[in-house]
Amino acid sequence: MSRSGTEPLSVGRVVSDVVDSFVPSVKMTVFYNNKQVVNGHEFTPSLIMSKPRVEIGGEDMRTSYTLIMTDPDAPNPSDPYLKEHLYWMVTDIPGTTDASFGKEIVSYEAPKPMVGIHRFVFILFKQNGGRQTVRAPTIRDYFSTKVFSQDNNLDQPVAAVYINAQKKPAARRRS
C-alpha cells in the first residue's frame, strides 16, 4: 500500500489530529451491519450503535495487532476540548482474523454525537514482538492515540479508516 492510501486521512485531518503520517501496510476492513466503512462517508448514529466487525489482513496469525476507535471531535467539533474520546480498544488480534479473536480491553461504547459532525476513527497498530502487553487506559476522555501508542511501544499505525456521524435533526412539528 502506498502513502496515497493516507490521502483521505490527511484531508479528513485524521493524520495530524489522531496519528502522525504513516504508510498503510495492512488491510483492515470495518463493517457495520454488513455496510463497509469508507473514509469520510457518513453513517447514522443508529447504524453504529452495535460493535462493528473488523477484519484484519496482516502477515500471519503469529503477528498481533491493537485496534483503537476514537473520536477526535469530542464533545463538539468546533470546541473539541476533550481532544479524543476512546470508544473501543482490542489488543492481541491475530493477523488474518478479525477483532473478535482479540482481547477487548476497553468495551465498545456506542457513539452518540450530540453537536456537529464527528469523525469516528479506527486505527490499527502492529504490536512489537507479537503478543506484547498493552495496558488498558484508565480514562476515555482526554485520550491521545499518539501518547498511548508511544507509552505502549506500539509501532507506527499500519491501517486507519474513519467515518462521519452526526445527531439526526429532530422532526419539526407543524403549527
Side-chain angles (χ1 to χ4, degrees):
M1 294 183 195
S2 68
R3 185 167 297 281
S4 65
T6 62
E7 186 176 338
L9 300 171
S10 295
V11 170
R13 295 182 344 273
V14 170
V15 170
S16 77
D17 289 357
V18 181
V19 294
D20 292 326
S21 185
F22 70 99
V23 177
S25 59
V26 172
K27 182 177 175 152
M28 174 177 69
T29 312
V30 180
F31 296 93
Y32 278 102
N33 298 326
N34 293 322
K35 184 175 180 187
Q36 184 175 344
V37 168
V38 177
N39 279 320
H41 285 204
E42 187 162 337
F43 278 58
T44 62
S46 61
L47 185 62
I48 59 178
M49 293 297 293
S50 298
K51 188 185 312 183
R53 186 175 85 248
V54 180
E55 297 175 352
I56 310 295
E59 298 164 21
D60 56 47
M61 291 187 70
R62 293 180 304 244
T63 306
S64 295
Y65 298 90
T66 292
L67 173 70
I68 295 172
M69 179 187 174
T70 184
D71 173 5
D73 302 314
N76 178 339
S78 61
D79 183 21
Y81 65 85
L82 295 178
K83 297 297 177 209
E84 292 179 62
H85 179 82
L86 178 64
Y87 278 91
W88 191 33
M89 187 178 295
V90 183
T91 65
D92 302 325
I93 305 167
T96 71
T97 65
D98 66 60
S100 67
F101 288 89
K103 178 181 173 188
E104 187 176 66
I105 63 173
V106 175
S107 62
Y108 185 79
E109 179 183 322
K112 296 178 184 138
M114 296 306 291
V115 176
I117 299 171
H118 288 250
R119 296 167 292 166
F120 295 97
V121 183
F122 296 86
I123 308 108
L124 187 68
F125 292 90
K126 181 178 176 183
Q127 294 176 200
N128 287 314
R131 295 194 182 272
Q132 73 187 74
T133 300
V134 176
R135 295 178 308 281
T138 56
I139 57 170
R140 287 185 186 250
D141 287 335
Y142 304 103
F143 183 77
S144 169
T145 299
K146 291 176 187 177
V147 170
F148 180 84
S149 63
Q150 289 171 352
D151 289 351
N152 284 277
N153 296 319
L154 296 171
D155 281 341
Q156 286 289 325
V158 293
V161 66
Y162 78 101
I163 58 171
N164 293 317
Q166 64 182 315
K167 182 179 180 178
K168 286 248 184 234
R172 292 207 166 164
R173 291 177 46 169
R174 295 183 100 141
S175 347

